């Protein structure tokens, strides 16, 4: 069964506010692959482990019917509460027990979620629901991230990574899949026609507040909060203070560039 890490309503609200949608380079990688495999027009697209719907809403711009699924009731509620086009719906269910008919799904997607699934069971389910000729697109952003602003990008990235290093002590063992660039997930995909791309770089427009909010949204921070709430809050405050000082600005709404490397596993049945 999937590991449940994003259950609380408070955490789901932070997730909705600060988690960014798939970047343009990742979007283009997925859409180009589907065009190459001629999975268009796709009738049914499923976004598994959709969280609060960032990836689901991207998919809805390109496909006729998109269903986001998640095991967390709080995340699904956040997704439903957000403005969505009429071709989007959400269902609460485990990734390993999808409520779709055999060979009914044109595209099965997952954005920064598959490392929480029971890999073997999820792949069995993917094989069951995806149509012959249908595709999967399973991606994650990695910990290869940087923050850029003027001539202090190196210092900002150092501050950000030092904060991440503190949080990593509280990370779940399943984060190893991310650290290994989804190698095991790629190998487990039961489609012979598949590939893994590990060098997709995206620039995400953010603010200082958004970068700090992103850190607050990650599962290791939530574990840190449970273990030592004062130290956790202090880490975020200190991160923001150091970033603003390095930039020579006072507003936490100051825009920065947040760069992230994605990994994407693509396959055609």
């Amino acid at each position: 069964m999937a590991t449940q890490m994003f259950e609380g309503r408070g955490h789901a609200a932070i997730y909705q506010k600060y988690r960014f949608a798939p970047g343009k380079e990742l979007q283009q990688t997925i859409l180009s692959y589907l065009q190459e495999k001629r999975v268009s027009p796709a009738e049914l697209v499923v976004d598994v482990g959709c969280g609060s719907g960032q990836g689901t809403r991207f998919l809805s711009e390109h496909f006729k019917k998109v269903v986001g699924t998640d095991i967390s009731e709080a995340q699904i509620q956040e997704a439903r509460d957000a403005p969505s086009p009429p071709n989007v719906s959400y269902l609460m269910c485990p990734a390993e027990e999808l409520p779709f008919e055999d060979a009914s799904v044109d595209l099965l997607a997952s954005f920064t979620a598959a490392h929480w699934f029971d890999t073997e069971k999820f792949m069995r389910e993917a094989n069951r629901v995806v149509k012959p000729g249908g595709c999967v697109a399973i991606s994650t952003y990695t910990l290869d991230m940087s923050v850029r602003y003027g001539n202090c990008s190196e210092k900002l990235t150092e501050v950000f990574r030092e904060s991440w290093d503190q949080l990593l002590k509280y990370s779940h063992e399943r984060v190893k899949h991310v650290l290994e660039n989804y190698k095991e997930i790629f190998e487990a995909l039961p489609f012979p026609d598949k590939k893994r791309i590990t060098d997709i770089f995206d620039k995400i427009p953010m603010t200082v507040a958004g970068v700090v909010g992103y850190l607050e949204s990650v599962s290791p921070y939530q574990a840190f909060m449970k273990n030592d709430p004062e130290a956790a809050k202090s880490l975020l405050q200190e991160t923001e203070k150091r970033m603003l000082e390095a930039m020579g600005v006072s507003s936490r709404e100051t825009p920065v560039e947040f760069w992230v490397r994605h990994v994407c596993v693509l396959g055609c049945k």
Side-chain angles (χ1 to χ4, degrees):
M1 193 59 71
T3 305
Q4 294 174 249
M5 296 297 291
F6 304 93
E7 289 296 286
R9 192 67 204 264
H11 188 193
I14 292 165
Y15 200 95
Q16 173 70 281
K17 185 174 181 181
Y18 292 115
R19 282 300 176 104
F20 43 89
K24 285 186 167 51
E25 291 298 321
L26 176 60
Q27 291 183 21
Q28 200 50 53
T29 298
I30 293 169
L31 294 173
S32 297
Y33 180 79
L34 296 175
Q35 198 169 20
E36 177 195 327
K37 299 299 177 184
R38 294 183 172 82
V39 186
S40 192
E43 290 294 312
L44 176 60
V45 174
V46 178
D47 178 17
V48 187
C50 67
S52 44
Q54 285 84 346
T56 321
R57 291 188 287 275
F58 146 61
L59 293 168
S60 74
E61 297 168 15
H62 302 277
F63 302 103
K64 188 174 178 181
K65 181 182 178 184
V66 183
V67 181
T69 74
D70 203 281
I71 199 169
S72 163
E73 183 179 1
Q75 290 282 8
I76 289 292
Q77 193 57 54
E78 284 290 338
R80 285 176 176 155
D81 289 346
S84 288
N87 61 330
V88 169
S89 60
Y90 294 99
L91 294 172
M92 192 176 89
C93 66
E96 304 83 358
E97 296 171 26
L98 298 171
F100 303 101
E101 299 290 327
D102 294 1
S104 64
V105 175
D106 295 283
L107 169 65
L108 194 70
S110 184
F111 299 96
T112 313
H115 46 284
W116 301 116
F117 306 162
D118 180 313
T119 303
E120 186 183 340
K121 288 180 180 174
F122 171 65
M123 291 302 179
R124 201 180 304 140
E125 194 69 336
N127 199 32
R128 180 185 71 78
V129 301
V130 172
K131 290 177 180 177
C135 290
V136 298
I138 302 170
S139 66
T140 186
Y141 38 79
T142 66
L143 304 191
D144 188 358
M145 298 170 169
S146 61
V147 186
R148 299 183 192 178
Y149 179 87
N151 61 0
C152 58
S153 302
E154 198 173 313
K155 179 62 180 173
L156 287 178
T157 299
E158 181 187 311
V159 169
F160 177 79
R161 289 185 176 166
E162 282 175 8
S163 299
W164 242 125
D165 286 345
Q166 289 193 56
L167 294 180
L168 273 178
K169 293 180 279 191
Y170 296 91
S171 64
H172 192 279
E173 61 178 13
R174 298 196 69 80
V175 173
K176 71 174 185 179
H177 289 301
V178 177
L179 298 174
E180 293 167 358
N181 290 316
Y182 270 19
K183 181 174 182 286
E184 200 174 305
I185 288 167
F186 170 71
E187 289 168 352
L189 181 64
F191 303 167
D193 183 354
K194 61 182 179 179
K195 64 180 178 179
R196 178 176 61 129
I197 305 169
T198 60
D199 59 350
I200 305 163
F201 289 89
D202 260 310
K203 176 177 76 173
I204 313 290
M206 272 204 195
T207 61
V208 173
V211 173
V212 175
Y214 165 73
L215 287 172
E216 187 181 4
S217 80
V218 300
S219 58
Y221 180 79
Q222 298 299 315
F224 189 14
M225 270 291 285
K226 284 178 184 170
N227 186 66
D228 191 342
E230 289 309 311
K233 288 173 192 168
S234 175
L235 174 66
L236 293 188
Q237 290 165 355
E238 188 63 21
T239 301
E240 181 175 309
K241 180 168 172 275
R242 291 177 68 199
M243 286 181 69
L244 292 172
E245 283 174 358
M247 293 162 68
V249 299
S250 58
S251 172
R252 60 198 307 268
E253 299 307 322
T254 304
V256 296
E257 289 180 3
F258 190 69
W259 284 81
V260 58
R261 179 174 67 86
H262 296 276
V263 170
C264 191
V265 172
L266 297 160
C268 187
K269 186 174 176 182

